[in-house]
């Protein structure tokens, strides 16, 4: 993982928001490790909110069929718990109990949000992240049905555009995110994007 790591002996929701505002975010080595460290990547993942955001034709067709009921902030705790679960393709997780507690507190403060895919009464996919100024910092996503998390991401971008957000931070890029148009941004360029987003009043999600 490129970028600086700084150990964090103690952290509050207010400190966490301050960290996001200057380009840091927390992680843990594993779900069982109580320690948290700050991460500041040398290259940051960003998903453009303009016409560079790409949705494949096949995914567009799936979305038109409305296979899931998409909800916002109806079960934040359920989403972060699902993101923290170990799966066959994700044998370890960086989300420990401290992180769950901190982001739940941010949710109650109006700074952390979830996008959820429901199949009847079952939560089958979702994502969560942090909003501050005109920036949204994506944290994690999960999927228990084909395309569930992808559809949540498309709805997230639509919501951010509607509310005039200017920055969607993905922390790192993955091949999955690159299919949507995610790009790598050098630290210096990211700092400019972040500073501009922090000058905005906190936008309603």
């Amino acid at each position: 993982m490129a970028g600086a790591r700084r150990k964090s002996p103690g952290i509050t929701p207010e400190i966490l928001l301050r960290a996001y505002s200057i380009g840091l975010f927390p992680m843990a080595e594993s779900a069982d490790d109580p320690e948290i460290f700050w991460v500041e990547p040398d290259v940051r993942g960003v998903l453009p909110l303009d016409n560079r955001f790409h949705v494949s034709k096949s995914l567009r067709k799936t979305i038109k069929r409305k296979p899931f009921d998409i909800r916002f902030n109806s079960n934040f705790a359920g989403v972060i718990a699902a993101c923290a679960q170990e799966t066959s393709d994700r044998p370890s997780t960086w989300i420990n109990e401290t992180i769950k507690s901190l982001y739940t507190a941010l949710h109650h403060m109006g700074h952390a949000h979830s996008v959820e895919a429901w199949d009847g009464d079952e939560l089958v996919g979702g994502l969560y992240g942090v909003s501050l100024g005109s920036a949204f910092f994506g944290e994690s996503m999960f999927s228990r049905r084909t395309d569930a998390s992808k559809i949540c991401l498309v709805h997230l971008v639509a919501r951010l555009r509607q509310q005039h957000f200017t920055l969607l931070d993905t922390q790192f890029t993955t091949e999955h995110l690159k299919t949507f148009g995610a790009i790598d941004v050098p630290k210096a360029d990211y700092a400019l994007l972040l500073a501009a987003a922090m000058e905005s009043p906190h936008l309603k999600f």
Side-chain angles (χ1 to χ4, degrees), residues 3 18 35 89 97 105 115 143 175 190:
R18 173 59 181 160
E35 296 294 327
D89 58 348
E97 291 303 318
V115 185
S143 188
E175 292 307 313
Y190 174 79

Side-chain angles (χ1 to χ4, degrees), residues 46 83 92 112 118 124 170 187 190 193:
V46 170
C83 288
S92 63
W118 292 81
V124 297
T170 66
K187 184 189 295 186
Y190 174 79
L193 296 173

Side-chain angles (χ1 to χ4, degrees), residues 42-62:
D42 293 328
V43 177
R44 197 70 164 239
V46 170
L47 195 54
L49 293 171
D50 55 21
N51 57 12
R52 289 175 291 175
F53 179 71
H54 174 72
V55 182
S56 67
K57 290 182 179 179
S58 60
L59 185 58
R60 288 182 186 276
K61 290 180 180 179
T62 300

Side-chain angles (χ1 to χ4, degrees):
M1 184 183 302
R5 292 189 180 193
R6 312 172 190 178
K7 285 188 176 181
S8 175
I11 183 172
T12 65
E14 291 77 16
I15 290 174
L16 184 52
L17 289 177
R18 173 59 181 160
Y20 274 106
S21 75
I22 59 173
L24 305 176
F25 58 87
M27 295 183 74
E29 290 290 353
S30 69
D32 297 327
D33 188 343
E35 296 294 327
I36 290 177
F37 56 87
W38 295 116
V39 182
E40 187 179 18
D42 293 328
V43 177
R44 197 70 164 239
V46 170
L47 195 54
L49 293 171
D50 55 21
N51 57 12
R52 289 175 291 175
F53 179 71
H54 174 72
V55 182
S56 67
K57 290 182 179 179
S58 60
L59 185 58
R60 288 182 186 276
K61 290 180 180 179
T62 300
I63 292 171
K64 286 183 179 180
R65 295 200 301 268
K66 298 182 178 180
F68 310 115
D69 177 20
I70 303 299
R71 307 175 192 173
F72 297 88
N73 293 325
S74 73
N75 189 356
F76 182 87
V79 170
I80 195 170
C83 288
Q85 288 181 348
E86 296 179 356
T87 63
S88 58
D89 58 348
R90 185 170 56 188
S92 63
T93 176
W94 52 267
I95 302 173
N96 63 9
E97 291 303 318
T98 301
I99 287 178
K100 288 181 185 178
S101 177
L102 284 167
Y103 285 84
T104 299
L106 288 187
H107 174 64
H108 292 306
M109 293 166 63
H111 282 285
H113 310 279
S114 59
V115 185
E116 307 147 14
W118 292 81
D119 183 358
D121 294 330
E122 185 179 0
L123 179 62
V124 297
L127 60 85
Y128 76 96
V130 173
S131 65
L132 186 63
S134 64
F136 188 92
F137 306 88
E139 284 296 318
S140 187
M141 60 175 62
F142 79 99
S143 188
R144 294 172 180 161
R145 296 283 192 284
T146 301
D147 292 334
S149 62
K150 292 180 181 179
I151 292 173
C152 286
L153 180 59
V154 173
H155 281 271
L156 170 65
V157 170
R159 173 64 67 95
L160 296 180
R161 286 171 167 172
Q162 180 184 36
Q163 299 302 106
H164 306 294
F165 280 74
T166 61
L167 175 63
L168 174 50
D169 177 344
T170 66
Q171 299 179 349
F172 306 103
T173 57
T174 63
E175 292 307 313
H176 168 66
L177 290 173
K178 285 179 180 178
T179 64
F180 288 93
I183 57 175
D184 290 318
V185 178
K187 184 189 295 186
D189 294 338
Y190 174 79
L192 296 176
L193 296 173
L194 180 62
M198 293 303 102
E199 289 177 0
S200 167
H202 179 57
L203 298 181
K204 182 179 179 181
F205 177 76

